[in-house]
Amino acid sequence: MTLNVYLSGEIHTDWRERITAGSEDLDVEFSGPVTDHAASDDCGVAILGAEDRKFWHDHKGAKLNAIRTRNGIEMADIVVVRFGEKYKQWNAAFDAGYAAALGKPLIVLSMPDHQHALKEVHAAALVVAEEPEQVVDVLRYTLTGRLPG
């Protein structure tokens, strides 16, 4: 059984690489948003034309990215959403809510310091993890029934 896993959330740390590297022996296919910040921000104007106002520049990019994000979440078997330390990921909160609304199994990856701020997001998740390696262990257990170690 191949699991399709969508990796959403912050783009400033190596959490995606840690999960994909740890899952090399598992039958998992990963997808996610465009993680090149400039490309993600500018995709709308690059494809649909320039805008004089920043609001419309951002609006075009957000709408175009929403197509990719919604499609990826809808096709996923499991959605992992990472809330990082340094930046506020409002899009990650949307992705978590969208996945939960679709009934997708949701794994939230966040730090203990954010437990209160993310309590509603955590309530929607089936798993709340603190480290990418815990996500790998969840995927391994899901696919094989094996515990870590």
Side-chain angles (χ1 to χ4, degrees), residues 77-79 96 100 103-108 120-129 138 142:
D77 298 311
I78 296 174
V79 176
K104 299 291 179 173
L106 176 62
I107 300 171
V108 172
E120 286 84 1
V121 174
H122 288 168
L126 293 179
V127 171
V128 177
V138 169
T142 300

Side-chain angles (χ1 to χ4, degrees), residues 23 83 109 120:
S23 301
F83 290 88
L109 185 55
E120 286 84 1

